[in-house]
């Protein structure tokens, strides 16, 4: 005979066990979220307390000072902006073209999977290794540090981020769009440029913005390439001031005024990265 009572009792025990396990995992997830947010807010609060008082017009209108003198971070801001722009202009086209090959032309054969694997390795490689690489192939050959070397190092950091985002976004474009264009007689290069790029441009631009956010605070590659410059300079063929290295040097100095400038520079980079990430999120939602 079929015993419905035992089945109901068994199902209740299973349900209660699953319900208990679900509550346990939900509690652990919320606890992990609170733990992560706690440290994030602590870092942001520390930056605001330590560096908020040093934010002023002098910070963006005066160059880095000597110990005990007044000054700002204008030369470092200018140097960082120049190297970031050049690095982005070099790395973005390479990344977009490489990602296009992976998504549109490399669907067969071994080259595309091998390239994706190497790109993932490059994406997770420590940035100091990139700095040493540029130092060995460029700085050591020309005999001096320069803004160009720093821009080349940043460009290498931009490439894997843009490759990954371009590849993923183009893979999300429906094949029906490609087939419809091919049925009308469009060559593949026109399908890619006029249809696939337009459909995936928000995602590609998001990848570019995230790459810019990544290179904005990189210190290790610039220590081996651009180094630093105490004075205002726009010469990319000479050592160039930049925010990450200035923050590194000033934070480790025994001078309180330099320490304040280091905290102020950290606030500037944090606000920049936060703004870029917010812009990327807003662009991706569209």
């Amino acid at each position: 005979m079929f015993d419905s009572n035992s089945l109901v009792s068994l199902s209740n025990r299973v349900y209660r066990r699953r319900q208990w396990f679900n509550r346990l995992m939900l509690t652990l997830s919320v606890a992990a979220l609170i733990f992560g947010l706690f440290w994030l807010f602590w870092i942001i609060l520390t930056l605001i307390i330590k560096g908020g008082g040093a934010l002023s017009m002098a910070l963006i209108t005066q160059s880095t000072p000597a110990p005990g003198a007044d000054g700002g971070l204008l030369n470092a801001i200018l140097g960082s902006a120049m190297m970031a722009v050049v690095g982005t202009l070099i790395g973005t086209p390479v990344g977009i073209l490489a990602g296009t090959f992976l998504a549109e032309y490399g669907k067969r054969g071994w080259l595309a999977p091998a390239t994706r694997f190497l790109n993932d390795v490059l994406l997770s490689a420590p940035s100091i290794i990139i700095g040493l690489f540029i130092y060995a192939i460029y700085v050591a050959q020309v005999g001096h540090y320069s803004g160009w070397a720093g821009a080349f190092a940043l460009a290498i950091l931009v490439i894997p981020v843009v490759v990954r985002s371009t590849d993923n976004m183009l893979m999300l474009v429906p094949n029906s769009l490609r087939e419809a264009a091919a049925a009308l007689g469009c060559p593949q290069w026109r399908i890619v440029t006029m249809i696939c790029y337009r459909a995936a441009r928000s995602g590609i631009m998001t990848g570019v913005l995230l790459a810019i956010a990544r290179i904005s605070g990189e210190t290790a590659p610039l220590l081996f390439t651009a180094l630093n410059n105490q004075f205002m300079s726009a010469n990319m063929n000479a050592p160039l001031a930049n925010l990450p290295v200035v923050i590194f040097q000033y934070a480790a100095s025994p001078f309180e005024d330099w320490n304040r400038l280091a905290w102020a520079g950290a606030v500037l980079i944090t606000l920049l990265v936060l703004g870029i990430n917010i812009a990327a999120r807003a662009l991706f939602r569209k």
Side-chain angles (χ1 to χ4, degrees):
M1 295 293 293
F2 179 73
D3 189 357
S4 60
N5 292 330
S6 61
L7 181 59
V8 172
S9 176
L10 178 62
S11 64
N12 286 339
R13 288 198 299 271
V14 172
Y15 174 76
R16 287 194 298 270
R17 184 171 67 251
R18 290 178 177 175
Q19 187 179 43
W20 178 86
F21 185 75
N22 179 71
R23 290 175 178 174
L24 174 63
M25 296 308 297
L26 180 60
T27 302
L28 292 176
S29 299
V30 172
L33 174 65
I34 295 174
F35 180 78
L37 290 177
F38 169 77
W39 295 107
L40 175 62
F41 284 117
W42 192 356
I43 292 173
I44 295 177
L45 182 62
T46 302
L47 286 175
I48 294 175
I49 294 174
K50 296 285 188 178
L55 296 178
S56 63
M57 287 301 299
L59 189 69
I60 58 176
T61 58
Q62 299 180 15
S63 298
T64 49
D70 295 330
L73 298 173
L74 177 59
N75 58 330
I77 294 173
L78 177 62
S80 290
M82 291 173 59
M83 287 188 288
V85 169
V86 174
T88 303
L89 291 178
I90 295 174
T92 298
V94 175
I96 291 177
L97 292 176
T100 301
F101 169 79
L102 295 178
E104 301 294 334
Y105 297 93
K107 297 180 179 180
R108 298 179 181 177
W110 59 270
L111 183 58
T115 304
R116 286 192 179 94
F117 173 76
L118 293 176
N119 185 74
D120 291 341
V121 172
L122 184 60
L123 187 64
S124 59
S127 59
I128 192 172
I129 296 178
I130 307 300
L132 287 171
F133 172 72
I134 297 298
Y135 179 86
I137 68 170
Y138 183 82
V139 176
Q141 305 304 319
V142 300
H144 61 84
Y145 299 98
S146 67
W148 289 115
F152 295 153
L154 297 182
I156 294 179
L157 294 173
V158 167
I159 290 174
V161 179
V162 179
V163 169
R164 169 66 72 84
S165 63
T166 303
D167 183 20
N168 290 341
M169 291 301 105
L170 290 177
M171 292 290 287
L172 293 176
V173 176
N175 283 328
S176 57
L177 295 179
R178 299 181 178 89
E179 293 169 356
L184 295 175
C186 290
Q188 189 168 3
W189 68 267
R190 186 174 291 274
I191 294 174
V192 172
T193 56
M194 301 300 293
I195 296 176
C196 296
Y197 279 168
R198 291 187 178 184
R201 59 186 175 186
S202 295
I204 295 174
M205 285 302 301
T206 300
V208 174
L209 291 176
L210 293 177
I212 296 174
R214 181 189 178 186
I215 65 175
S216 298
E218 287 291 349
T219 306
L222 301 181
L223 285 171
F224 293 94
T225 54
L227 198 60
N228 196 10
N229 191 340
Q230 189 71 22
F231 307 100
M232 176 67 69
S233 174
N235 184 10
M236 290 286 289
N237 201 37
L240 200 61
N242 55 89
L243 271 177
V245 174
V246 168
I247 292 172
F248 170 76
Q249 293 178 345
Y250 280 21
S253 71
F255 309 109
E256 293 186 3
D257 51 344
W258 279 15
N259 295 154
R260 288 193 298 270
L261 284 177
W263 283 108
V267 172
L268 288 179
I269 289 182
T270 302
L271 293 177
L272 174 64
V273 173
L274 181 61
I276 292 176
N277 278 274
I278 292 175
R281 296 286 183 179
L283 183 63
F284 185 75
R285 286 180 180 178
K286 294 181 180 181

